[in-house]
Amino acid sequence: MRILIRGGTVVDPENRTVEQKDVLLVDGRVAGVGADLPADDALVIEATGRLVTPGLIDMHVHLREPGYEHKETIASGTRAAARGGFTAVVCMANTDPVADTRAVVEYIRERARATGVVHVFPVGAVSKGLEGKELAELASLREGGAVAFSDDGRPVVDSGLMRRAMEYARMLGAPVISHCEDPGLSAGGLMNEGRTAYLLGLPGMPAAAEEVMVAREILLAELTGCPVHIAHVSTAGAVRLIRDAKARGLPVTAEATPHHFTLTEEAVEGYNTSTKVNPPLRTAADVAAVREGLADGTIDVIATDHAPHAEEEKDVEFAAAPFGIAGLETAVGLVFTELVHSGVLDLPAAVAKMTVNPARILGLAKGRLVPGADGDVTIIDPRLELTVDASGFVGKGRNNPFVGRKLTGVPVTTIVAGRIVMLERDLKC
Amino acid sequence: MFKHLLGLRDVGREEILTVLDTARGMKEVLGRRIKKVPTLRGRIVVLLFFEPSTRTRVSFELAAKALSADTVSITAAASSVAKGESLRDTVRTLTAMGADMLVIRHPASGAAEAAARATTAAVINAGDGTHEHPTQALLDLFTMREAKGRLEGLTVTIVGDIRHSRVARSNVWALRAVGAEVRLAGPATLLPPEAAALGIPCYTTLEQALEGADVVMALRLQLERMRANYLPSLREYTRLYCITRERLRLAKPDVLLMHPGPVNRGVELAPDLVENAPSVIEEQVTNGVAVRMALLYLMLGGE
């Protein structure tokens, strides 16, 4: 099977080049990238005026399977990923059963092979049952295919346990991903602590609840030498701590979500449960700091924290609704609308945060468009406009606060290992 | 007039004064021997209470009955809520049965707003979590105006658990809308900095807050706050923030003392103040019925 992507603008995030080139895929791999490649018998995808990038990687999603298939399945979640332009997703361990044993990690990979349409890389739990008490069998998880370790969704409260997890993870060559939250400070909180929380009479989570834990993870990374990746950075203080840690040469990386670089706490007005997310939407100053962190490289990765929930679970009083935003299908549009077109990030930098950077952090041989690389390609129309309509989502979750918003810059074609899974916005799987 | 009364943050001076003026006529009805007018005959008012409350529920029920509306009173323990039916489903069911008005008390902030989204009936928020309690604030304003003859220019000091008080929030918006000066007082743990950021004078020293006040309103202290370490002890709270006759001397000589009730005697107020002047706590209760009658009348468009 040969596919020729012709006339597109190829974005190479590694060499920071943006050039008009053809890309030839043969038998699921990149066979050539260059000017005027011969089509021969290849299927030709015309990409003039479009951007051709290495397949995008979302290193933070919740696929909900096994255990919460009413919210999402590996089949529906990977289709949502394909529709969002992602060719690979990294799924968190807070399933039921928890991905704290090799068997569960292997089950996820097996289900992904059988029912998924993009690559799926599971994260293994740090602690058994995500309970934060006993270390999970990290080596077995690693052998089963876990690419990182995290209790995401829950913080690891016990600093001693986190220290041992980092020492052990370092031995295994995998990073620890930390959901930074001090539950003593955030207890009972439903949104960011501040003006809007006061007006709405909702208990708040202060920025310090996140920052205290970011500071701890940085200190533990220094103590253990283990690479630590800070998930969903949302506060100005967290950005500052990570920037300082990087300046000191510590093995600390970080990600930000589209909702945290776009929305402020004011979006919660009206008690819209689609805006209930953890960490919460913060202030305009925090959004500005996250954007600055993205621009100066403090924040390496853009990831969605895709957290789908069933409609009936979210259509309740604000306090009763679960935290989370289903973000896979709006992420690229937000990156282009909010960061690229507005000049926060240039094209190679924006693409790097969804390709080579997550690949480097997780040790995946992905994220590059060079001969011999996996045939994962995303084609984006940077000028195509789309008004977000959750009823058109492919994923099961409709909990998205961007409904009704106009996005400019939309993925149109997704190719996974040489297989076209989305063509001109139509899913082919 | 507004379709729903979910809070007072976005309600203007004119609307507030219309409610208070209408309540004056309603209070006259309550003074008669036959306390009933046929205004809302054939209309259905459902009281949906997910939190224990005697005074607010009874006050609404008497208000509806005085206007000849039919009332149904549902409390959480007796309803299908205990069987896991969602607020939305309960509200939709009651709407389908023909409710014209839903009066909702709920422990979650925003519950009244969620209910309003699920129904074609009018909704009155009878207290949602730590958000707002608009009818309480309106009856407080009615009581202040009745005693003082005006609202504009009054200095009103609210004392206690400002952080968790829906009564304080609603009073702040309403009092500011009608041109009164609001002061907030309480321990730093219960006095959120966001209030000061909104331009409301905040005091941790009670005596300073009381100086020259026309009205002093003490808030009910939820005794479970001690467990969350907002307060070290009841004794310390009382020593610093209990309203006593001596402390009241710092206020204007004709000061009015209010409390939304029920009072923890000896905690928020010295016991001898509860039933004696300058306390108007019982008038507040009486006025509550009149103000709620006014709201039902205005929102259901009587006649």
Side-chain angles (χ1 to χ4, degrees), chain A residues 4 41 49 53 78 88 101 106 115-116 131 135 162 171 175 177 181 186 202 206 228 250 284 341 355 375 383 393 397:
Chain A
L4 181 68
D41 58 343
T53 74
T78 55
T101 61
E106 286 180 342
T115 68
E131 285 179 353
L135 213 53
M162 193 53 146
M171 164 181 91
I177 300 173
E181 176 183 352
S186 64
L202 292 172
V228 63
L250 298 177
H341 295 319
T355 54
R383 274 170 292 279
F393 281 1

PDB file of all heavy atoms in Angstrom, chain A residues 4 41 49 53 78 88 101 106 115-116 131 135 162 171 175 177 181 186 202 206 228 250 284 341 355 375 383 393 397:
ATOM      1  N   LEU A   4       0.677   8.791  -1.360  1.00  0.00           N
ATOM      2  CA  LEU A   4       1.480   9.981  -1.600  1.00  0.00           C
ATOM      3  C   LEU A   4       0.681  11.203  -1.161  1.00  0.00           C
ATOM      4  O   LEU A   4      -0.409  11.462  -1.661  1.00  0.00           O
ATOM      5  CB  LEU A   4       1.849  10.103  -3.085  1.00  0.00           C
ATOM      6  CG  LEU A   4       2.712  11.336  -3.410  1.00  0.00           C
ATOM      7  CD1 LEU A   4       4.121  11.208  -2.804  1.00  0.00           C
ATOM      8  CD2 LEU A   4       2.792  11.562  -4.917  1.00  0.00           C
ATOM      9  N   ASP A  41       1.905   4.128  -8.528  1.00  0.00           N
ATOM     10  CA  ASP A  41       0.578   3.536  -8.292  1.00  0.00           C
ATOM     11  C   ASP A  41      -0.002   3.952  -6.939  1.00  0.00           C
ATOM     12  O   ASP A  41      -0.951   3.360  -6.455  1.00  0.00           O
ATOM     13  CB  ASP A  41       0.682   2.010  -8.362  1.00  0.00           C
ATOM     14  CG  ASP A  41       1.687   1.479  -7.341  1.00  0.00           C
ATOM     15  OD1 ASP A  41       2.513   2.285  -6.832  1.00  0.00           O
ATOM     16  OD2 ASP A  41       1.654   0.276  -7.034  1.00  0.00           O
ATOM     17  N   GLY A  49      -1.894  23.717   0.414  1.00  0.00           N
ATOM     18  CA  GLY A  49      -2.510  24.660   1.350  1.00  0.00           C
ATOM     19  C   GLY A  49      -2.741  24.069   2.719  1.00  0.00           C
ATOM     20  O   GLY A  49      -3.173  24.756   3.637  1.00  0.00           O
ATOM     21  N   THR A  53       1.953  17.073   9.202  1.00  0.00           N
ATOM     22  CA  THR A  53       2.790  16.961  10.401  1.00  0.00           C
ATOM     23  C   THR A  53       2.968  15.491  10.774  1.00  0.00           C
ATOM     24  O   THR A  53       2.173  14.641  10.357  1.00  0.00           O
ATOM     25  CB  THR A  53       2.159  17.684  11.606  1.00  0.00           C
ATOM     26  OG1 THR A  53       1.050  16.887  12.075  1.00  0.00           O
ATOM     27  CG2 THR A  53       1.653  19.070  11.246  1.00  0.00           C
ATOM     28  N   THR A  78     -10.581   6.103  20.769  1.00  0.00           N
ATOM     29  CA  THR A  78      -9.552   6.202  19.721  1.00  0.00           C
ATOM     30  C   THR A  78     -10.141   6.806  18.440  1.00  0.00           C
ATOM     31  O   THR A  78      -9.436   7.465  17.680  1.00  0.00           O
ATOM     32  CB  THR A  78      -8.902   4.843  19.416  1.00  0.00           C
ATOM     33  OG1 THR A  78      -9.920   3.893  19.073  1.00  0.00           O
ATOM     34  CG2 THR A  78      -8.117   4.333  20.618  1.00  0.00           C
ATOM     35  N   ALA A  88      -1.833   8.770  18.121  1.00  0.00           N
ATOM     36  CA  ALA A  88      -1.457   7.980  19.294  1.00  0.00           C
ATOM     37  C   ALA A  88      -1.981   8.663  20.544  1.00  0.00           C
ATOM     38  O   ALA A  88      -1.983   9.898  20.622  1.00  0.00           O
ATOM     39  CB  ALA A  88       0.064   7.824  19.395  1.00  0.00           C
ATOM     40  N   THR A 101      -1.825  -3.810  37.427  1.00  0.00           N
ATOM     41  CA  THR A 101      -1.195  -5.113  37.213  1.00  0.00           C
ATOM     42  C   THR A 101      -0.880  -5.270  35.728  1.00  0.00           C
ATOM     43  O   THR A 101      -1.524  -4.636  34.869  1.00  0.00           O
ATOM     44  CB  THR A 101      -2.124  -6.280  37.596  1.00  0.00           C
ATOM     45  OG1 THR A 101      -3.304  -6.223  36.785  1.00  0.00           O
ATOM     46  CG2 THR A 101      -2.526  -6.223  39.066  1.00  0.00           C
ATOM     47  N   GLU A 106      -1.925  -5.277  29.743  1.00  0.00           N
ATOM     48  CA  GLU A 106      -1.946  -6.104  28.525  1.00  0.00           C
ATOM     49  C   GLU A 106      -3.356  -6.164  27.939  1.00  0.00           C
ATOM     50  O   GLU A 106      -3.530  -6.177  26.717  1.00  0.00           O
ATOM     51  CB  GLU A 106      -1.420  -7.510  28.822  1.00  0.00           C
ATOM     52  CG  GLU A 106       0.098  -7.495  29.006  1.00  0.00           C
ATOM     53  CD  GLU A 106       0.683  -8.871  29.308  1.00  0.00           C
ATOM     54  OE1 GLU A 106      -0.102  -9.764  29.707  1.00  0.00           O
ATOM     55  OE2 GLU A 106       1.898  -9.021  29.142  1.00  0.00           O
ATOM     56  N   THR A 115      -9.865  -3.270  18.798  1.00  0.00           N
ATOM     57  CA  THR A 115     -10.976  -2.334  18.555  1.00  0.00           C
ATOM     58  C   THR A 115     -10.536  -0.899  18.310  1.00  0.00           C
ATOM     59  O   THR A 115     -11.353  -0.074  17.905  1.00  0.00           O
ATOM     60  CB  THR A 115     -11.952  -2.304  19.758  1.00  0.00           C
ATOM     61  OG1 THR A 115     -11.282  -1.710  20.875  1.00  0.00           O
ATOM     62  CG2 THR A 115     -12.415  -3.694  20.156  1.00  0.00           C
ATOM     63  N   GLY A 116      -9.265  -0.585  18.582  1.00  0.00           N
ATOM     64  CA  GLY A 116      -8.821   0.806  18.469  1.00  0.00           C
ATOM     65  C   GLY A 116      -8.417   1.155  17.047  1.00  0.00           C
ATOM     66  O   GLY A 116      -8.170   0.270  16.220  1.00  0.00           O
ATOM     67  N   GLU A 131      -4.463   3.808  45.572  1.00  0.00           N
ATOM     68  CA  GLU A 131      -4.771   4.163  46.952  1.00  0.00           C
ATOM     69  C   GLU A 131      -3.660   4.939  47.650  1.00  0.00           C
ATOM     70  O   GLU A 131      -3.841   5.424  48.766  1.00  0.00           O
ATOM     71  CB  GLU A 131      -5.138   2.903  47.749  1.00  0.00           C
ATOM     72  CG  GLU A 131      -6.530   2.416  47.391  1.00  0.00           C
ATOM     73  CD  GLU A 131      -6.937   1.156  48.135  1.00  0.00           C
ATOM     74  OE1 GLU A 131      -6.071   0.577  48.833  1.00  0.00           O
ATOM     75  OE2 GLU A 131      -8.106   0.759  47.992  1.00  0.00           O
ATOM     76  N   LEU A 135       3.206   0.397  46.686  1.00  0.00           N
ATOM     77  CA  LEU A 135       3.695   0.499  45.322  1.00  0.00           C
ATOM     78  C   LEU A 135       3.107  -0.620  44.462  1.00  0.00           C
ATOM     79  O   LEU A 135       3.057  -1.780  44.878  1.00  0.00           O
ATOM     80  CB  LEU A 135       5.217   0.367  45.380  1.00  0.00           C
ATOM     81  CG  LEU A 135       6.080   1.124  44.380  1.00  0.00           C
ATOM     82  CD1 LEU A 135       5.748   2.601  44.357  1.00  0.00           C
ATOM     83  CD2 LEU A 135       7.544   0.922  44.744  1.00  0.00           C
ATOM     84  N   MET A 162       6.018   8.314  47.025  1.00  0.00           N
ATOM     85  CA  MET A 162       6.380   8.923  45.748  1.00  0.00           C
ATOM     86  C   MET A 162       7.880   8.833  45.521  1.00  0.00           C
ATOM     87  O   MET A 162       8.340   8.568  44.413  1.00  0.00           O
ATOM     88  CB  MET A 162       5.909  10.383  45.725  1.00  0.00           C
ATOM     89  CG  MET A 162       5.954  11.014  44.344  1.00  0.00           C
ATOM     90  SD  MET A 162       5.060  10.037  43.093  1.00  0.00           S
ATOM     91  CE  MET A 162       4.417  11.336  42.048  1.00  0.00           C
ATOM     92  N   MET A 171      14.924   3.287  37.602  1.00  0.00           N
ATOM     93  CA  MET A 171      15.595   2.022  37.259  1.00  0.00           C
ATOM     94  C   MET A 171      14.976   1.410  36.006  1.00  0.00           C
ATOM     95  O   MET A 171      15.658   0.773  35.211  1.00  0.00           O
ATOM     96  CB  MET A 171      15.454   1.083  38.460  1.00  0.00           C
ATOM     97  CG  MET A 171      15.719  -0.375  38.206  1.00  0.00           C
ATOM     98  SD  MET A 171      15.464  -1.327  39.733  1.00  0.00           S
ATOM     99  CE  MET A 171      13.731  -1.761  39.589  1.00  0.00           C
ATOM    100  N   PRO A 175       9.207   7.567  33.023  1.00  0.00           N
ATOM    101  CA  PRO A 175       8.933   8.720  33.875  1.00  0.00           C
ATOM    102  C   PRO A 175       7.731   8.493  34.781  1.00  0.00           C
ATOM    103  O   PRO A 175       6.900   7.631  34.525  1.00  0.00           O
ATOM    104  CB  PRO A 175       8.625   9.832  32.877  1.00  0.00           C
ATOM    105  CG  PRO A 175       8.042   9.112  31.698  1.00  0.00           C
ATOM    106  CD  PRO A 175       8.724   7.765  31.639  1.00  0.00           C
ATOM    107  N   ILE A 177       4.406  10.456  36.025  1.00  0.00           N
ATOM    108  CA  ILE A 177       3.550  11.599  35.683  1.00  0.00           C
ATOM    109  C   ILE A 177       2.760  11.950  36.937  1.00  0.00           C
ATOM    110  O   ILE A 177       2.122  11.084  37.532  1.00  0.00           O
ATOM    111  CB  ILE A 177       2.590  11.248  34.526  1.00  0.00           C
ATOM    112  CG1 ILE A 177       3.391  10.845  33.276  1.00  0.00           C
ATOM    113  CG2 ILE A 177       1.651  12.426  34.233  1.00  0.00           C
ATOM    114  CD1 ILE A 177       2.532  10.329  32.124  1.00  0.00           C
ATOM    115  N   GLU A 181      -1.727  17.870  43.437  1.00  0.00           N
ATOM    116  CA  GLU A 181      -2.820  18.417  44.242  1.00  0.00           C
ATOM    117  C   GLU A 181      -2.613  17.989  45.683  1.00  0.00           C
ATOM    118  O   GLU A 181      -2.453  16.804  45.956  1.00  0.00           O
ATOM    119  CB  GLU A 181      -4.149  17.861  43.704  1.00  0.00           C
ATOM    120  CG  GLU A 181      -5.361  18.282  44.513  1.00  0.00           C
ATOM    121  CD  GLU A 181      -6.662  17.642  43.994  1.00  0.00           C
ATOM    122  OE1 GLU A 181      -6.632  17.000  42.918  1.00  0.00           O
ATOM    123  OE2 GLU A 181      -7.683  17.764  44.677  1.00  0.00           O
ATOM    124  N   SER A 186      -7.112  21.268  48.946  1.00  0.00           N
ATOM    125  CA  SER A 186      -8.163  21.326  47.920  1.00  0.00           C
ATOM    126  C   SER A 186      -9.461  20.689  48.390  1.00  0.00           C
ATOM    127  O   SER A 186     -10.467  20.746  47.685  1.00  0.00           O
ATOM    128  CB  SER A 186      -7.694  20.611  46.651  1.00  0.00           C
ATOM    129  OG  SER A 186      -7.502  19.229  46.908  1.00  0.00           O
ATOM    130  N   LEU A 202     -19.372  28.635  45.723  1.00  0.00           N
ATOM    131  CA  LEU A 202     -18.820  27.286  45.553  1.00  0.00           C
ATOM    132  C   LEU A 202     -17.486  27.196  46.290  1.00  0.00           C
ATOM    133  O   LEU A 202     -16.674  28.121  46.216  1.00  0.00           O
ATOM    134  CB  LEU A 202     -18.598  26.981  44.062  1.00  0.00           C
ATOM    135  CG  LEU A 202     -19.860  26.831  43.220  1.00  0.00           C
ATOM    136  CD1 LEU A 202     -19.497  26.728  41.732  1.00  0.00           C
ATOM    137  CD2 LEU A 202     -20.664  25.601  43.640  1.00  0.00           C
ATOM    138  N   PRO A 206      -7.452  26.415  46.098  1.00  0.00           N
ATOM    139  CA  PRO A 206      -6.480  27.471  45.851  1.00  0.00           C
ATOM    140  C   PRO A 206      -5.358  26.999  44.921  1.00  0.00           C
ATOM    141  O   PRO A 206      -5.067  25.797  44.846  1.00  0.00           O
ATOM    142  CB  PRO A 206      -5.941  27.781  47.244  1.00  0.00           C
ATOM    143  CG  PRO A 206      -6.117  26.509  48.007  1.00  0.00           C
ATOM    144  CD  PRO A 206      -7.363  25.869  47.450  1.00  0.00           C
ATOM    145  N   VAL A 228      10.377  13.455  36.107  1.00  0.00           N
ATOM    146  CA  VAL A 228       8.988  13.615  36.533  1.00  0.00           C
ATOM    147  C   VAL A 228       8.311  14.568  35.560  1.00  0.00           C
ATOM    148  O   VAL A 228       8.879  15.574  35.138  1.00  0.00           O
ATOM    149  CB  VAL A 228       8.886  14.103  38.000  1.00  0.00           C
ATOM    150  CG1 VAL A 228       9.507  15.474  38.174  1.00  0.00           C
ATOM    151  CG2 VAL A 228       7.447  14.118  38.464  1.00  0.00           C
ATOM    152  N   LEU A 250      17.137  20.140  36.267  1.00  0.00           N
ATOM    153  CA  LEU A 250      16.469  18.961  36.823  1.00  0.00           C
ATOM    154  C   LEU A 250      15.609  18.268  35.761  1.00  0.00           C
ATOM    155  O   LEU A 250      15.111  18.909  34.839  1.00  0.00           O
ATOM    156  CB  LEU A 250      15.598  19.375  38.018  1.00  0.00           C
ATOM    157  CG  LEU A 250      16.373  19.974  39.186  1.00  0.00           C
ATOM    158  CD1 LEU A 250      15.425  20.422  40.290  1.00  0.00           C
ATOM    159  CD2 LEU A 250      17.388  18.965  39.729  1.00  0.00           C
ATOM    160  N   ALA A 284      -7.274  34.870  34.716  1.00  0.00           N
ATOM    161  CA  ALA A 284      -6.665  35.362  33.481  1.00  0.00           C
ATOM    162  C   ALA A 284      -5.140  35.418  33.618  1.00  0.00           C
ATOM    163  O   ALA A 284      -4.410  35.134  32.667  1.00  0.00           O
ATOM    164  CB  ALA A 284      -7.227  36.741  33.138  1.00  0.00           C
ATOM    165  N   HIS A 341      -2.453  31.034  15.562  1.00  0.00           N
ATOM    166  CA  HIS A 341      -2.918  32.225  14.848  1.00  0.00           C
ATOM    167  C   HIS A 341      -2.727  33.488  15.678  1.00  0.00           C
ATOM    168  O   HIS A 341      -2.630  34.586  15.136  1.00  0.00           O
ATOM    169  CB  HIS A 341      -4.390  32.070  14.454  1.00  0.00           C
ATOM    170  CG  HIS A 341      -4.611  30.966  13.454  1.00  0.00           C
ATOM    171  ND1 HIS A 341      -3.768  30.751  12.396  1.00  0.00           N
ATOM    172  CD2 HIS A 341      -5.571  30.003  13.363  1.00  0.00           C
ATOM    173  CE1 HIS A 341      -4.202  29.718  11.682  1.00  0.00           C
ATOM    174  NE2 HIS A 341      -5.290  29.229  12.259  1.00  0.00           N
ATOM    175  N   THR A 355       4.116  16.204  19.306  1.00  0.00           N
ATOM    176  CA  THR A 355       4.800  15.132  18.552  1.00  0.00           C
ATOM    177  C   THR A 355       6.118  14.757  19.232  1.00  0.00           C
ATOM    178  O   THR A 355       6.122  13.927  20.131  1.00  0.00           O
ATOM    179  CB  THR A 355       5.042  15.569  17.089  1.00  0.00           C
ATOM    180  OG1 THR A 355       5.744  16.816  17.085  1.00  0.00           O
ATOM    181  CG2 THR A 355       3.731  15.697  16.322  1.00  0.00           C
ATOM    182  N   GLY A 375       4.467   5.225   9.805  1.00  0.00           N
ATOM    183  CA  GLY A 375       3.646   6.011   8.881  1.00  0.00           C
ATOM    184  C   GLY A 375       2.462   6.692   9.537  1.00  0.00           C
ATOM    185  O   GLY A 375       1.311   6.477   9.148  1.00  0.00           O
ATOM    186  N   ARG A 383      -6.788  26.992   7.923  1.00  0.00           N
ATOM    187  CA  ARG A 383      -7.781  28.057   7.754  1.00  0.00           C
ATOM    188  C   ARG A 383      -9.223  27.551   7.802  1.00  0.00           C
ATOM    189  O   ARG A 383     -10.160  28.335   7.772  1.00  0.00           O
ATOM    190  CB  ARG A 383      -7.534  28.807   6.446  1.00  0.00           C
ATOM    191  CG  ARG A 383      -6.512  29.936   6.621  1.00  0.00           C
ATOM    192  CD  ARG A 383      -6.081  30.522   5.309  1.00  0.00           C
ATOM    193  NE  ARG A 383      -5.293  29.588   4.514  1.00  0.00           N
ATOM    194  CZ  ARG A 383      -3.992  29.359   4.686  1.00  0.00           C
ATOM    195  NH1 ARG A 383      -3.333  30.007   5.624  1.00  0.00           N
ATOM    196  NH2 ARG A 383      -3.352  28.499   3.938  1.00  0.00           N
ATOM    197  N   PHE A 393     -19.788  14.979  17.967  1.00  0.00           N
ATOM    198  CA  PHE A 393     -18.588  14.293  18.458  1.00  0.00           C
ATOM    199  C   PHE A 393     -18.652  12.799  18.160  1.00  0.00           C
ATOM    200  O   PHE A 393     -19.730  12.187  18.188  1.00  0.00           O
ATOM    201  CB  PHE A 393     -18.439  14.486  19.971  1.00  0.00           C
ATOM    202  CG  PHE A 393     -17.879  15.819  20.384  1.00  0.00           C
ATOM    203  CD1 PHE A 393     -17.552  16.799  19.456  1.00  0.00           C
ATOM    204  CD2 PHE A 393     -17.669  16.090  21.733  1.00  0.00           C
ATOM    205  CE1 PHE A 393     -17.043  18.034  19.856  1.00  0.00           C
ATOM    206  CE2 PHE A 393     -17.160  17.319  22.151  1.00  0.00           C
ATOM    207  CZ  PHE A 393     -16.852  18.289  21.213  1.00  0.00           C
ATOM    208  N   GLY A 397     -18.360  11.257  25.162  1.00  0.00           N
ATOM    209  CA  GLY A 397     -18.537  12.390  26.082  1.00  0.00           C
ATOM    210  C   GLY A 397     -18.988  13.642  25.342  1.00  0.00           C
ATOM    211  O   GLY A 397     -18.449  13.984  24.291  1.00  0.00           O
TER     212      GLY A 397
END
